[in-house]
Amino acid sequence: MSTSRLEAFSDGVLAIIITVMVLELNVPEGDRFSDLWDDTRFGLLTYVLSFVYIGIYWNNHHHMFQICDRIDGGSVLWANLHLLFWLSLYPFTTAWLDESKVALTPTVVYGMNLMAAGTAYYVLQRRMMRMPITGQRLRDVVGSDFKGKASPFIYLLGILLAFVQPWLGLIPYVAVALMWLVPDRRVERYLASHQELAD
Amino acid sequence: MSTSRLEAFSDGVLAIIITVMVLELNVPEGDRFSDLWDDTRFGLLTYVLSFVYIGIYWNNHHHMFQICDRIDGGSVLWANLHLLFWLSLYPFTTAWLDESKVALTPTVVYGMNLMAAGTAYYVLQRRMMRMPITGQRLRDVVGSDFKGKASPFIYLLGILLAFVQPWLGLIPYVAVALMWLVPDRRVERYLASHQELAD
Amino acid sequence: MSTSRLEAFSDGVLAIIITVMVLELNVPEGDRFSDLWDDTRFGLLTYVLSFVYIGIYWNNHHHMFQICDRIDGGSVLWANLHLLFWLSLYPFTTAWLDESKVALTPTVVYGMNLMAAGTAYYVLQRRMMRMPITGQRLRDVVGSDFKGKASPFIYLLGILLAFVQPWLGLIPYVAVALMWLVPDRRVERYLASHQELAD
Amino acid sequence: MSTSRLEAFSDGVLAIIITVMVLELNVPEGDRFSDLWDDTRFGLLTYVLSFVYIGIYWNNHHHMFQICDRIDGGSVLWANLHLLFWLSLYPFTTAWLDESKVALTPTVVYGMNLMAAGTAYYVLQRRMMRMPITGQRLRDVVGSDFKGKASPFIYLLGILLAFVQPWLGLIPYVAVALMWLVPDRRVERYLASHQELAD
């Protein structure tokens, strides 16, 4: 089964998630800069964070399916939908984090949402590694997957820090995003040495 | 006529339906866990149910068009739009079910929406079975279509049970979703034995 | 220039327009059938009408670009965006029509929106008829374009009837939709006799 | 790495941005023409302006990737996401501009949003010019890029004029849009003389 429709559907869902979060930004009631600062400061910050996260997932998803020429059925489709489910909750948990002005429970819930999406991505990747040809390629590319394995622990650190002071919890969440933003050339290097996949 | 644009349009509509339902989730007014429980408990449960239903339709739609290489015109396009119409009402009936905290009429209306979408899918499938080559393949794959024929009766059971106690009606609705979630390997087996279709 | 990205973008916009209209449906405040009837009767009726209109445009757009293998630049892109602009106002004019419970001005404005979209489609079609190869094909297929030419007059009739009684204006609007729903086999017949285009 | 998925994702985001802005249009409370004028006059004007801007970006993006056959990795993906980030704020800044009825700060913030998106496009273009084959083609097509270089200065003029009188600031914003609307045949001419790229 070719992967093109799975990719198109995932692109659609991710594109909508990223854009729908803007609808959750409250337009300031007044028309001065202080109104923007008061009403939308937290909204813009959390929007940037969630935008970057969705961007990272889109990038990694794109790379993973780039080296996958074929999928073998339902369980990959559902592992993918499972990932999209947790990502689709980002607009909701982001809006709560924003409207509560970074209170304790919303910060914890946001971190749990990040962790659930990370786990779902890991499950999808494991599932794809079990496939005959794609699996070997993926294992070559992902290697020890240090980032994938470290992320849940850093999210957990954020959740724990939130109990000290809610906004402290955001620091590990931002750190994970930055860690993934650092370019990872493995897939590109792999594609460069396997020209037939790049077409 | 190739099916690629029909698939792309359907993917777009399904991707938006799935994401738009998140916009109907009410962000809790307070910032404690009890607020999340009070304000969003029903919202999250109904969201999961509708998400799974849309996922099932996307999966089945994807499989059906995988074995269909060509469509012969307007009536398939309209049978498909008819299906998308009923699916596009899910965010509305889900939101009513959620905001009424699973009251009688919204539970019945939700079940009727599920039933209408199921019927529309059945009609689309019948319409595609009438096509020369695709039709034969589809009949081979779908076989007796036990699930397709049983679903409306289970939905009806849910609607009737709702009159006893509204939340009882949700049990058959969940049961239908679980029945379809159980992997159905017929299309994949068919594709495995007809390699030329898998490309 | 190939048409695939223009089609993908148009599909995206049309898919979103059709789904976004559901967000404008007001979830009833109460949980009885009479609440659904009171609060959403007009909303559901106008939603069906606008859904059918967007479906018709998608169908016709799909057919028109099916016989067009290449576009020659900016003015087709802008003629297409012009059409999408008027269609993108449907959720807005539909919501006003619905919330006013079919009052005079919203009925007139809705009719003017329908007319503007019809005109934009006509302009796009004329623009594409000026292209070397596609143009000849389109002229063969569209022929005298009776429906295209009659539609604005029927919309105008609707606008005038609205001044007698607002809901009377809806009759011609519904009539135009029905006229276009009647299957039109010209493109399919053309494709059947020009097999090389159907791939 | 092929560009098709990057284009599909960008198309999705742009299609949603364009449509989501309609959701920010307030449906008039009354049902007379004066209500439409009072409640939605600014909303419609700013909607048209932002719609045209998104249309221009889609057009230019489409043209740029038309002559690009391959991208070499992460930094193009992120430069593209950076552009989409600023464009995704259009619905928010447009809604504030509209609801404030063109007050000073929202006009300035809107102009800064336009400027940030223009800069992000410039950065993406520069990044793509550094690639081996595509880069040379892009430099041939873009040439001195007068429009790209002049735009930020005209936006700046708009921001400064807004301090004199807010609505005066809109004149340069409209002027930039008109400047880009004037058809620019360079890419098409380039494609016409490089037939192999047009397929």
Side-chain angles (χ1 to χ4, degrees):
Chain A
M1 206 177 292
S2 125
T3 66
S4 60
R5 206 175 154 188
L6 183 146
E7 291 178 76
F9 182 70
S10 307
D11 280 357
V13 173
L14 293 177
I16 300 156
I17 291 170
I18 232 171
T19 324
V20 142
M21 286 190 295
V22 165
L23 285 175
E24 305 275 12
L25 279 180
N26 297 313
V27 176
E29 302 230 341
D31 58 18
R32 280 173 307 180
F33 191 77
S34 59
D35 297 307
L36 183 68
W37 180 254
D38 292 345
D39 296 0
T40 323
R41 177 170 83 246
F42 289 107
L44 282 170
L45 281 175
T46 55
Y47 176 63
V48 172
L49 184 57
S50 296
F51 188 100
V52 169
Y53 265 110
I54 301 289
I56 289 167
Y57 277 105
W58 180 75
N59 250 350
N60 290 350
H61 195 271
H62 178 54
H63 277 119
M64 181 155 69
F65 281 91
Q66 185 85 12
I67 58 171
C68 163
D69 62 335
R70 182 143 313 195
I71 50 176
D72 61 352
S75 67
V76 170
L77 299 188
W78 280 107
N80 191 57
L81 278 168
H82 178 232
L83 170 62
L84 294 179
F85 173 77
W86 291 111
L87 294 177
S88 78
L89 289 180
Y90 277 29
F92 171 71
T93 53
T94 304
W96 198 26
L97 182 61
D98 154 27
E99 289 187 13
S100 75
K101 311 211 170 197
V102 189
L104 173 58
T105 315
T107 310
V108 170
V109 167
Y110 184 73
M112 281 161 57
N113 194 175
L114 295 179
M115 205 191 261
T119 309
Y121 189 83
Y122 188 77
V123 167
L124 172 64
Q125 192 176 264
R126 296 292 303 192
R127 179 62 195 74
M128 290 183 71
M129 280 180 181
R130 292 218 308 273
M131 286 188 293
I133 305 165
T134 304
Q136 186 54 52
R137 283 184 203 152
L138 248 185
R139 280 191 296 272
D140 288 355
V141 166
V142 169
S144 68
D145 194 20
F146 170 74
K147 290 181 185 176
K149 282 175 184 147
S151 299
F153 295 98
I154 314 182
Y155 291 139
L156 191 63
L157 180 68
I159 291 171
L160 294 174
L161 278 176
F163 285 95
V164 182
Q165 187 70 20
W167 63 262
L168 274 178
L170 295 183
I171 295 174
Y173 303 164
V174 171
V176 174
L178 291 176
M179 180 176 81
W180 283 98
L181 266 178
V182 173
D184 182 343
R185 303 245 173 266
R186 281 175 304 182
V187 173
E188 278 124 53
R189 244 185 270 125
Y190 189 86
L191 287 172
S193 61
H194 294 72
Q195 276 298 333
E196 75 285 1
L197 287 173
D199 291 305
Chain B
M1 204 177 296
S2 127
T3 66
S4 60
R5 207 176 152 187
L6 183 145
E7 291 177 78
F9 182 71
S10 308
D11 280 358
V13 173
L14 294 177
I16 299 157
I17 290 171
I18 235 171
T19 324
V20 142
M21 285 190 296
V22 167
L23 286 176
E24 305 274 13
L25 279 180
N26 297 313
V27 176
E29 302 231 340
D31 57 20
R32 282 173 306 179
F33 190 76
S34 60
D35 298 306
L36 183 69
W37 180 255
D38 291 346
D39 295 0
T40 323
R41 177 169 85 246
F42 289 107
L44 282 169
L45 280 174
T46 55
Y47 176 62
V48 171
L49 184 57
S50 295
F51 187 99
V52 169
Y53 265 110
I54 300 289
I56 290 167
Y57 277 106
W58 180 75
N59 250 350
N60 291 349
H61 195 271
H62 179 55
H63 277 119
M64 180 156 68
F65 281 91
Q66 185 86 12
I67 57 171
C68 164
D69 63 333
R70 183 143 311 194
I71 50 176
D72 61 352
S75 67
V76 170
L77 299 188
W78 280 108
N80 191 56
L81 278 168
H82 178 231
L83 170 62
L84 295 179
F85 173 77
W86 291 110
L87 294 178
S88 77
L89 288 180
Y90 276 30
F92 171 72
T93 53
T94 304
W96 198 27
L97 183 61
D98 153 27
E99 289 187 14
S100 75
K101 311 210 170 197
V102 190
L104 174 58
T105 316
T107 310
V108 170
V109 167
Y110 185 74
M112 282 161 56
N113 194 174
L114 295 179
M115 204 190 262
T119 309
Y121 189 83
Y122 188 76
V123 168
L124 172 63
Q125 192 176 265
R126 296 292 301 194
R127 178 63 195 74
M128 290 182 70
M129 280 179 181
R130 292 218 308 273
M131 287 188 292
I133 305 166
T134 304
Q136 187 54 51
R137 285 184 202 151
L138 248 185
R139 280 190 296 271
D140 288 355
V141 167
V142 169
S144 68
D145 194 20
F146 169 74
K147 289 181 186 177
K149 281 175 186 147
S151 300
F153 294 98
I154 314 182
Y155 291 139
L156 191 62
L157 180 68
I159 291 171
L160 294 174
L161 278 175
F163 284 95
V164 181
Q165 187 69 21
W167 63 263
L168 275 178
L170 295 182
I171 296 173
Y173 303 163
V174 171
V176 174
L178 291 176
M179 180 175 81
W180 283 98
L181 267 177
V182 173
D184 182 343
R185 304 243 174 268
R186 281 176 303 181
V187 173
E188 279 124 53
R189 245 185 270 125
Y190 190 87
L191 287 173
S193 60
H194 294 72
Q195 276 298 333
E196 75 286 2
L197 287 173
D199 292 305
Chain C
M1 206 177 294
S2 124
T3 66
S4 60
R5 206 174 154 189
L6 184 146
E7 290 177 78
F9 182 71
S10 307
D11 280 358
V13 173
L14 293 177
I16 299 156
I17 291 171
I18 232 171
T19 324
V20 141
M21 284 189 296
V22 166
L23 285 176
E24 304 274 13
L25 278 181
N26 298 312
V27 176
E29 302 230 341
D31 57 19
R32 282 174 306 181
F33 190 77
S34 59
D35 297 307
L36 184 69
W37 179 254
D38 291 346
D39 296 1
T40 324
R41 178 170 83 246
F42 289 108
L44 281 170
L45 281 175
T46 55
Y47 176 62
V48 172
L49 184 57
S50 296
F51 187 100
V52 169
Y53 265 110
I54 300 289
I56 290 168
Y57 276 106
W58 180 74
N59 251 350
N60 290 350
H61 195 271
H62 179 54
H63 277 118
M64 181 156 69
F65 281 90
Q66 185 85 11
I67 57 171
C68 163
D69 62 334
R70 183 144 311 192
I71 49 176
D72 60 353
S75 66
V76 170
L77 299 188
W78 280 107
N80 191 57
L81 278 168
H82 179 232
L83 170 62
L84 295 179
F85 174 76
W86 291 110
L87 294 178
S88 78
L89 289 180
Y90 276 30
F92 171 71
T93 53
T94 304
W96 198 27
L97 182 62
D98 154 26
E99 289 187 13
S100 75
K101 311 211 170 196
V102 190
L104 173 59
T105 315
T107 311
V108 170
V109 167
Y110 185 73
M112 281 161 57
N113 194 175
L114 295 179
M115 205 190 262
T119 309
Y121 189 83
Y122 188 77
V123 168
L124 172 63
Q125 192 176 266
R126 296 292 302 193
R127 178 64 196 73
M128 290 181 71
M129 280 180 180
R130 292 218 306 273
M131 286 188 293
I133 305 166
T134 304
Q136 186 55 50
R137 286 185 201 150
L138 248 184
R139 279 190 296 271
D140 289 355
V141 166
V142 169
S144 69
D145 194 21
F146 170 73
K147 290 180 186 176
K149 283 174 183 146
S151 299
F153 294 99
I154 315 181
Y155 291 140
L156 191 63
L157 181 67
I159 291 172
L160 294 175
L161 278 176
F163 285 95
V164 181
Q165 187 71 19
W167 63 263
L168 275 178
L170 295 183
I171 296 173
Y173 303 163
V174 171
V176 173
L178 291 175
M179 180 176 80
W180 284 97
L181 268 177
V182 173
D184 181 343
R185 304 244 174 266
R186 281 175 303 181
V187 173
E188 279 125 53
R189 245 184 272 126
Y190 190 86
L191 288 172
S193 60
H194 294 72
Q195 277 298 333
E196 75 284 2
L197 286 173
D199 291 305
Chain D
M1 204 176 294
S2 125
T3 66
S4 60
R5 207 175 153 188
L6 183 145
E7 291 177 78
F9 182 71
S10 308
D11 280 357
V13 173
L14 293 177
I16 299 156
I17 290 170
I18 235 171
T19 325
V20 142
M21 285 190 296
V22 165
L23 285 176
E24 304 274 13
L25 278 181
N26 298 312
V27 176
E29 302 230 342
D31 58 19
R32 281 173 306 180
F33 190 77
S34 59
D35 298 306
L36 183 69
W37 180 253
D38 292 345
D39 296 1
T40 322
R41 178 170 82 245
F42 289 108
L44 282 170
L45 281 174
T46 55
Y47 176 62
V48 172
L49 184 56
S50 296
F51 187 100
V52 170
Y53 265 110
I54 300 288
I56 290 168
Y57 277 105
W58 181 74
N59 251 350
N60 290 349
H61 195 271
H62 179 54
H63 276 119
M64 182 155 69
F65 281 91
Q66 185 84 14
I67 57 171
C68 163
D69 62 334
R70 182 144 311 195
I71 50 177
D72 59 353
S75 67
V76 170
L77 299 188
W78 280 107
N80 191 56
L81 278 168
H82 178 233
L83 170 63
L84 294 179
F85 174 77
W86 291 111
L87 294 178
S88 79
L89 290 180
Y90 276 30
F92 171 70
T93 53
T94 304
W96 198 26
L97 182 62
D98 154 26
E99 288 186 15
S100 75
K101 312 212 169 196
V102 191
L104 174 58
T105 315
T107 310
V108 169
V109 167
Y110 185 73
M112 281 161 57
N113 195 174
L114 295 179
M115 205 190 261
T119 308
Y121 189 84
Y122 188 77
V123 167
L124 172 63
Q125 191 176 266
R126 295 293 301 194
R127 178 64 196 71
M128 292 183 69
M129 280 180 182
R130 292 219 307 272
M131 287 188 293
I133 305 165
T134 304
Q136 186 54 51
R137 284 185 204 149
L138 247 186
R139 281 191 295 272
D140 288 354
V141 167
V142 169
S144 68
D145 194 19
F146 170 74
K147 289 180 186 176
K149 282 175 184 146
S151 300
F153 295 98
I154 314 182
Y155 291 140
L156 190 64
L157 180 68
I159 290 172
L160 294 175
L161 277 176
F163 285 95
V164 181
Q165 187 70 20
W167 62 262
L168 274 178
L170 296 182
I171 296 174
Y173 303 163
V174 171
V176 173
L178 291 176
M179 179 175 81
W180 283 98
L181 267 177
V182 173
D184 182 343
R185 304 245 173 265
R186 281 175 303 181
V187 172
E188 279 124 53
R189 245 185 270 124
Y190 190 86
L191 288 172
S193 61
H194 294 72
Q195 277 298 332
E196 74 285 1
L197 287 172
D199 290 305

